Amino acid sequence: EQIPTKEIKVKEIKEKENKIEFDKLLIFFNDSFNKKCRVFATTVKQKFKLRLNDGYTVQDIAKAMQVCKMDTFHKENNFKYCTIEYFSRAKTLDQYSFNESGKEKKYTPTT
């Protein structure tokens, strides 16, 4: 059986759009939070790939980092809770990447 080429091209395009360049993401993370991380742990890479499979995009991850950087709670704590693994969590991406205001906001811990 032969697979039509149109289907293959669409699949290839989607894979390219949802591929994380971990080197660039690491540089973006370090610049955003003034950190000096050198590598991604294998488990964290797997978590990011799972988030992409869940429907999140690379832009969602970057936006979550940008919005979190403006969060008063994290600023007051010198971004000590902002780790690479923290941004691989679906809950974190939901909390920060879909914040439409983009303004500084106060984090309220839940019980």
Side-chain angles (χ1 to χ4, degrees):
E1 292 181 23
Q2 191 174 20
I3 300 173
T5 57
K6 188 174 184 179
E7 290 179 27
I8 293 172
K9 288 181 182 179
V10 171
K11 184 178 179 182
E12 288 175 2
I13 291 169
K14 287 183 179 181
E15 287 177 3
K16 287 180 183 178
E17 288 176 356
N18 277 338
K19 186 175 180 183
I20 295 178
E21 294 182 43
F22 290 104
D23 294 338
K24 289 182 180 181
L25 185 60
L26 186 64
I27 291 168
F28 182 77
F29 172 80
N30 285 336
D31 289 345
S32 296
F33 299 103
N34 198 24
K35 304 260 184 172
K36 295 178 181 161
C37 299
R38 294 183 182 182
V39 294
F40 276 88
T42 305
T43 55
V44 175
K45 283 184 179 181
Q46 291 171 343
K47 287 182 180 182
F48 274 112
K49 289 176 183 176
L50 288 173
R51 295 298 77 82
L52 294 179
N53 290 340
D54 290 342
Y56 295 97
T57 64
V58 176
Q59 290 79 17
D60 291 335
I61 296 167
K63 183 178 178 186
M65 289 182 185
Q66 290 173 335
V67 173
C68 184
K69 182 180 177 181
M70 303 307 288
D71 190 285
T72 306
F73 172 80
H74 290 292
K75 282 183 180 179
E76 290 172 355
N77 288 290
N78 201 27
F79 305 113
K80 71 178 178 181
Y81 301 112
C82 296
T83 63
I84 294 172
E85 190 276 331
Y86 180 66
F87 291 101
S88 69
R89 302 176 193 169
K91 182 178 178 180
T92 303
L93 295 177
D94 287 340
Q95 181 178 359
Y96 293 109
S97 68
F98 300 113
N99 177 1
E100 293 301 320
S101 66
K103 296 180 182 175
E104 187 172 308
K105 96 176 200 184
K106 178 74 174 169
Y107 173 73
T108 308
T110 57
T111 55

